[in-house]
Amino acid sequence: MNTTIVGFPRIGKNRELKFLTERYFKKEITLDELNEGAKNLRVEHLKIQNESIDMVSVGDFSFYDGMLDTSIMLGVIPKRHRDLNLCKEDLYFAIAKGYQDGDIDVKASSMKKWFNTNYHYITPEIDDETKIELSDTKILNEFLEAKEIGIDPKAVLIGPFTFLKLAKYYGKKREIDFVKSIADAYVEIIKELAYDGCKFIQMDEPILVTDLTQDDIKIFKAIYKKILAGKPLINIILQTYFGDIRDVYRDVLKMGFNGLGLDFVEGEKTLELVNKYGMPENLCLFAGVINGKNIWKSEYSKIFALIKELMKKVKNIVLSTSCSLLHVPYTTTLEKGLSEFQLSKLSFAQEKLKELKEISTVIDTGKITEQLLENDELFKSSNNITSEVTTRISNLTDADYIRLPNRSDRVALQKDALNLPVLPTTTIGSFPQTRKVRINRSNYKSGKCTCDEYESNIKGYIKECINLQEDLGFDVLVHGEFERNDMVEFFGENLNGFIFTKFAWVQSYGTRCVKPPIIFSDVYRTKPITVDISKYAQSLSTKPVKGMLTGPITILNWSFPRADIEISQSVLQIALAIRDEVLDLEKNGIKIIQIDEAALREKLPIRKEDWNKKYLDWAIPAFRLTHSGVKPETQIHTHMCYSEFDDIIKEIDDMDADVISFEASRSSLEILKSLKDSNFETQVGPGVYDIHSPRVPSVDEIVSVINNILKVIPKEKVWVNPDCGLKTRDVKETLASLTNLIEAAKSVRAQL
Ligand code: GLN
Ligand code: ZN
């Protein structure tokens, strides 16, 4: 049985592409050097794939982002960037990152999350002047590069339908208006590839796993009708991933594709669809049986069972991954700090290639190989379960998820306990991570300073931070989070059950990579994590200082989750650990506790019908579990890094926090209106200025934002705060912005 993958990570084993590109940005290397380095990397990746799998890919490489490459290929370039008159490469990076030179300041195109992953793509911008036509053929070079080293690869393109659906439209024209031109452009590139000897083209159409309307389906069919009619003799694989294609499965079988890539991991209905409607003999199934997103070894016996079932219905099968391996780190072999046991359970991109080979060998030879026995053994042993945690979860009752008394009855009690003015002012938690803060941390990590020195420095920063907030006149203070590098990593490091890698980077966007912790086994807390620091901070002021925690859903969503238990269980374990911390903070005199859920929205399922059943129905109660045990006087805050929650507004209110702060400085009034329309009960702090920019907002500006908020939301419910943590800002601008924020709040208060 032949094997392939949907795509390979491009960033390199040691993030070579990142460093290369960043050096080019800093003008430390020339364009030729950049291209040369990238080529070496591509060749290396081709060779690595070629060792294990039958069908290697080209076209999955990108200097910044594959969607942006597709925009360039199709000539979809925003006018403001085109007008810059830059060389091809610099134009490319200008769209990705914006362009500044003297007086010229041109904004980048916006970035959006790529389906349900943590990868972000550059949104194509289309207006009524946009002409889609084949404008770049970089994929040809990559194809020929592979041929040169004796590899006959398949070429991978992001498909036209996904491209059009993800584009942002600025004029009157919509997807339907580009059907002909985009189909023509694809036919042209397919012809060129065929002319150079390419035999297989994979068209990635992940948008097919989302909820499609009848109009969408018409457009999809119209585009491919043209492409498949116009193409030369070459095999076209329609590749889907991140779910099943229930809306178009039957159509797709009849459209004339040569291959169909289906996701059997996340595609909940994929197997059912194949079983029910079968697959024509001349359509080859690219079966995504290896999880392309998680970092765990596959359970071979399960995959064999699946393939056996598929073979009853399908004649031609190629084994593949469920999606591109872009979403997993490069290789486990670099991780010298992990135990043999831990490593035995892990599988990153390079290891997944080997898994494909091992599986196909067993299928082809019918022999029980050593690897197969080893794999069976691995899944017999589960050292990951801690019985106390399991018992604690099974003892939970409905009452544990409900905080009493009701929120409306808590308001007065908290008012008395906290004695806050109207429009209380606060910040989201972190203060600028200055050089000295970072040096202190790195000295501690590298053993250059003792634990005592490290901690006493932290105390110094906290004291400065508290004094600063007192001087500025804040009502509710924070300690500044100087002990945290990252809001998830910090808790992961202090909880049992997480493991940390050294090199397991995954591309998040452009040259930025993240290294998520791995939830390896049952999560529990062995000792208080933030209590000492919070107690110390509170001892410095008579005003309330917020305890600062990261919520269970965010910890889960920004980690690699387990595969051996349901994530709805895993989140409860984390929730219980955070609950213990909440109660300890309360016991130690902390009156306000903020539990951040920055990433709640990120893992909403792709299909709307799954939002509640498959996610919110367990995620929201998990949050409530963290705080349901506190006294009525204790005020629970939460924070979210976005404001698009119109569509989950009820669920957010159901988190039953007393106060929520969120980003609103950009989309302001709409969200406020929907808060009002939904009778949102939680008190709100819609961020009054954007911390993602170094710009200092004026007093007048903030006054008018607050006044706008007060037009829609009763003053008793409104808090005044920036829209996110201040960690990435520098001290000077922070000071100026916060001074203005306080003055603005005071001036509005005076008018009330
Ligand atoms: N409390 C965190 C901070 O201020 C929240 C960060 C976030 O929302 N991403 O940094
Ligand atoms: Zn935030």
Side-chain angles (χ1 to χ4, degrees):
M1 202 169 264
N2 278 339
T3 53
T4 189
I5 58 174
V6 177
F8 196 70
R10 47 179 91 116
I11 209 81
K13 191 173 185 174
N14 294 303
R15 287 179 295 157
E16 290 86 346
L17 184 63
K18 168 196 172 70
F19 298 116
L20 210 57
T21 319
E22 286 176 350
R23 288 184 65 196
Y24 176 70
F25 293 158
K26 287 192 228 144
K27 298 202 166 66
E28 289 170 10
I29 58 169
T30 63
L31 189 57
D32 285 345
E33 286 170 310
L34 175 66
N35 281 324
E36 178 67 24
K39 179 180 171 173
N40 293 339
L41 208 55
R42 285 196 294 268
V43 167
E44 189 186 319
H45 296 169
L46 287 172
K47 287 185 180 158
I48 286 169
Q49 292 177 60
N50 204 38
E51 280 167 20
S52 300
I53 56 172
D54 300 300
M55 200 188 243
V56 171
S57 314
V58 294
D60 50 356
F61 172 85
S62 172
F63 275 109
Y64 205 92
D65 165 49
M67 273 295 273
L68 176 55
D69 295 2
T70 313
S71 296
I72 300 281
M73 177 179 93
L74 299 171
V76 176
I77 296 167
K79 183 161 184 317
R80 64 180 186 284
H81 298 117
R82 198 190 299 263
D83 288 347
L84 289 168
N85 280 321
L86 299 167
C87 75
K88 198 171 95 187
E89 288 78 6
D90 290 346
L91 170 65
Y92 177 88
F93 290 125
I95 303 174
K97 294 173 16 99
Y99 184 83
Q100 276 157 323
D101 185 18
D103 287 345
I104 308 172
D105 186 357
V106 178
K107 272 213 193 107
S109 288
S110 64
M111 249 177 348
K112 263 189 107 176
K113 259 168 70 72
W114 179 243
F115 299 87
N116 54 1
T117 70
N118 281 333
Y119 178 80
H120 301 74
Y121 65 91
I122 305 282
T123 317
E125 295 180 27
I126 294 183
D127 59 37
D128 292 348
E129 261 76 80
T130 305
K131 261 181 71 189
I132 294 187
E133 56 194 3
L134 184 64
S135 310
D136 180 83
T137 54
K138 99 172 169 66
I139 191 157
L140 283 184
N141 307 340
E142 289 168 25
F143 178 76
L144 294 172
E145 221 168 70
K147 290 287 263 190
E148 249 171 55
I149 55 166
I151 292 175
D152 198 4
K154 72 171 185 256
V156 178
L157 293 167
I158 291 180
F161 182 53
T162 296
F163 180 83
L164 287 181
K165 283 289 288 173
L166 297 183
K168 218 163 138 186
Y169 294 84
Y170 289 88
K172 289 206 188 70
K173 290 190 181 166
R174 291 293 175 269
E175 292 90 332
I176 184 86
D177 301 300
F178 296 95
V179 168
K180 179 170 180 334
S181 58
I182 204 164
D184 287 347
Y186 274 83
V187 168
E188 214 178 310
I189 189 74
I190 292 171
K191 279 187 180 157
E192 298 216 19
L193 281 160
Y195 181 80
D196 280 335
C198 179
K199 298 188 200 76
F200 293 91
I201 298 188
Q202 170 185 316
M203 307 273 250
D204 285 5
E205 293 285 11
I207 199 80
L208 293 178
V209 311
T210 66
D211 296 319
L212 299 174
T213 64
Q214 283 309 314
D215 284 344
D216 290 332
I217 296 173
K218 267 191 208 142
I219 294 173
F220 163 66
K221 292 208 287 198
I223 296 173
Y224 277 97
K225 194 171 169 196
K226 280 185 181 307
I227 294 179
L228 293 165
K231 76 167 176 76
L233 204 61
I234 188 170
N235 297 294
I236 304 282
I237 307 156
L238 177 72
Q239 180 66 51
T240 64
Y241 40 82
F242 302 145
D244 61 65
I245 56 166
R246 63 188 82 157
D247 299 336
V248 290
Y249 183 80
R250 282 201 283 172
D251 291 313
V252 157
L253 300 185
K254 297 179 289 205
M255 284 168 67
F257 291 104
N258 310 91
L260 175 60
L262 298 177
D263 176 348
F264 287 88
V265 175
E266 282 189 281
E268 211 189 308
K269 291 208 157 79
T270 305
L271 182 60
E272 193 184 314
L273 289 167
V274 175
N275 276 333
K276 200 158 161 197
Y277 302 112
M279 181 138 324
E281 278 203 7
N282 55 356
L283 187 59
C284 173
L285 171 65
F286 286 71
V289 295
I290 298 266
N291 191 324
K293 261 189 191 169
N294 81 7
I295 39 91
W296 305 104
K297 276 258 165 71
S298 310
E299 191 167 354
Y300 289 180
S301 61
K302 284 198 176 144
I303 292 181
F304 290 131
L306 172 62
I307 297 169
K308 231 168 147 186
E309 194 172 347
L310 287 174
M311 282 163 75
K312 287 189 210 146
K313 296 273 174 183
V314 188
K315 193 150 167 271
N316 292 310
I317 301 177
V318 174
L319 295 181
S320 184
T321 51
S322 64
C323 62
S324 168
L325 298 177
L326 177 68
H327 310 295
V328 293
Y330 200 97
T331 174
T332 61
T333 54
L334 298 170
E335 302 299 337
K336 308 288 179 223
L338 298 182
S339 71
E340 213 170 296
F341 174 69
Q342 289 165 341
L343 285 169
S344 74
K345 301 252 177 193
L346 298 177
S347 174
F348 299 169
Q350 216 176 311
E351 289 73 32
K352 286 181 195 271
L353 296 173
K354 296 206 184 97
E355 291 188 5
L356 280 164
K357 185 173 185 169
E358 289 175 9
I359 293 172
S360 78
T361 307
V362 174
I363 295 176
D364 291 347
T365 61
K367 285 205 182 108
I368 312 269
T369 60
E370 207 177 297
Q371 289 97 343
L372 179 59
L373 294 174
E374 251 173 48
N375 189 275
D376 280 344
E377 205 49 44
L378 195 62
F379 284 89
K380 271 185 210 145
S381 68
S382 180
N383 293 18
N384 293 354
I385 310 294
T386 312
S387 57
E388 295 96 285
V389 184
T390 319
T391 316
R392 233 182 127 184
I393 291 183
S394 57
N395 286 342
L396 289 171
T397 66
D398 288 351
D400 292 308
Y401 297 95
I402 298 168
R403 182 176 174 196
L404 290 173
N406 288 338
R407 178 164 41 200
S408 50
D409 298 329
R410 302 194 298 257
V411 173
L413 297 169
Q414 291 173 13
K415 206 164 178 239
D416 284 347
L418 296 168
N419 197 17
L420 297 170
V422 277
L423 306 182
T425 50
T426 190
T427 61
I428 307 306
S430 58
F431 264 66
Q433 293 254 334
T434 53
R435 219 175 105 78
K436 65 179 184 193
V437 172
R438 277 176 285 134
I439 291 180
N440 186 45
R441 182 177 313 121
S442 69
N443 281 350
Y444 176 53
K445 286 211 162 153
S446 65
K448 275 196 210 142
C449 76
T450 64
C451 183
D452 282 351
E453 280 165 331
Y454 169 75
E455 283 179 358
S456 107
N457 285 339
I458 298 266
K459 283 190 168 175
Y461 311 142
I462 293 177
K463 195 164 185 178
E464 266 173 50
C465 183
I466 295 280
N467 290 345
L468 174 72
Q469 295 169 80
E470 294 243 6
D471 291 345
L472 289 167
F474 273 96
D475 303 305
V476 172
L477 315 189
V478 296
H479 75 279
E481 301 183 23
F482 306 107
E483 77 288 9
R484 305 178 192 180
N485 174 30
D486 174 274
M487 64 191 284
V488 168
E489 190 179 67
F490 174 77
F491 286 93
E493 279 172 350
N494 284 286
L495 289 169
N496 235 301
F498 288 80
I499 60 174
F500 291 85
T501 56
K502 284 219 164 61
F503 302 97
W505 296 98
V506 181
Q507 191 176 15
S508 168
Y509 63 87
T511 60
R512 216 183 119 79
C513 301
V514 293
K515 193 159 61 65
I518 297 171
I519 306 178
F520 190 80
S521 51
D522 278 356
V523 173
Y524 55 97
R525 192 191 74 145
T526 51
K527 55 177 193 325
I529 301 169
T530 61
V531 172
D532 283 347
I533 278 190
S534 284
K535 238 167 86 179
Y536 171 72
Q538 184 61 80
S539 76
L540 301 170
S541 177
T542 53
K543 291 184 172 169
V545 180
K546 289 191 272 192
M548 262 312 148
L549 305 174
T550 303
I553 311 159
T554 299
I555 294 182
L556 177 80
N557 286 354
W558 284 347
S559 303
F560 281 116
R562 281 169 73 173
D564 59 337
I565 64 170
E566 292 293 327
I567 52 171
S568 55
Q569 289 297 300
S570 197
V571 80
L572 286 182
Q573 300 180 355
I574 307 171
L576 284 173
I578 298 298
R579 178 187 173 94
D580 294 346
E581 188 70 12
V582 166
L583 292 174
D584 273 340
L585 284 170
E586 182 184 61
K587 225 183 283 161
N588 281 278
I590 305 302
K591 295 196 171 70
I592 304 184
I593 300 165
Q594 179 171 315
I595 308 163
D596 289 329
E597 283 295 10
L600 174 83
R601 205 178 199 293
E602 287 191 7
K603 290 281 150 79
L604 269 179
I606 286 184
R607 290 184 188 269
K608 206 155 188 175
E609 65 169 83
D610 296 335
W611 281 13
N612 287 77
K613 260 193 340 265
K614 303 246 160 68
Y615 183 66
L616 295 167
D617 287 354
W618 54 256
I620 303 295
F623 181 84
R624 286 203 303 264
L625 181 59
T626 64
H627 69 82
S628 60
V630 299
K631 292 184 278 192
E633 298 80 23
T634 301
Q635 192 168 67
I636 297 295
H637 289 214
T638 188
H639 164 72
M640 284 171 194
C641 288
Y642 45 82
S643 59
E644 307 105 57
F645 49 68
D646 291 42
D647 42 9
I648 49 168
I649 213 153
K650 194 187 143 301
E651 286 79 5
I652 293 200
D653 219 13
D654 281 347
M655 291 165 81
D656 203 19
D658 298 298
V659 181
I660 177 169
S661 60
F662 54 90
E663 186 187 296
S665 45
R666 273 179 266 183
S667 46
S668 50
L669 280 176
E670 283 152 49
I671 174 71
L672 298 175
K673 213 181 142 302
S674 68
L675 289 174
K676 183 183 170 190
D677 295 345
S678 68
N679 285 321
F680 198 70
E681 207 188 271
T682 318
Q683 296 171 49
V684 292
V688 296
Y689 78 90
D690 176 15
I691 65 94
H692 305 91
S693 133
R695 216 181 133 260
V696 175
S698 70
V699 177
D700 286 349
E701 211 178 305
I702 303 180
V703 166
S704 83
V705 175
I706 302 175
N707 280 331
N708 270 339
I709 297 173
L710 290 173
K711 274 185 209 147
V712 206
I713 301 187
K715 62 176 188 296
E716 298 72 32
K717 283 207 165 159
V718 176
W719 286 64
V720 177
N721 46 261
D723 72 349
C724 195
L726 301 164
K727 155 171 156 183
T728 54
R729 298 270 59 95
D730 78 26
V731 177
K732 211 169 122 216
E733 72 219 18
T734 301
L735 211 71
S737 301
L738 294 182
T739 307
N740 292 354
L741 178 145
I742 295 290
E743 204 178 317
K746 283 188 180 152
S747 123
V748 179
R749 254 180 227 154
Q751 301 161 18
L752 290 177

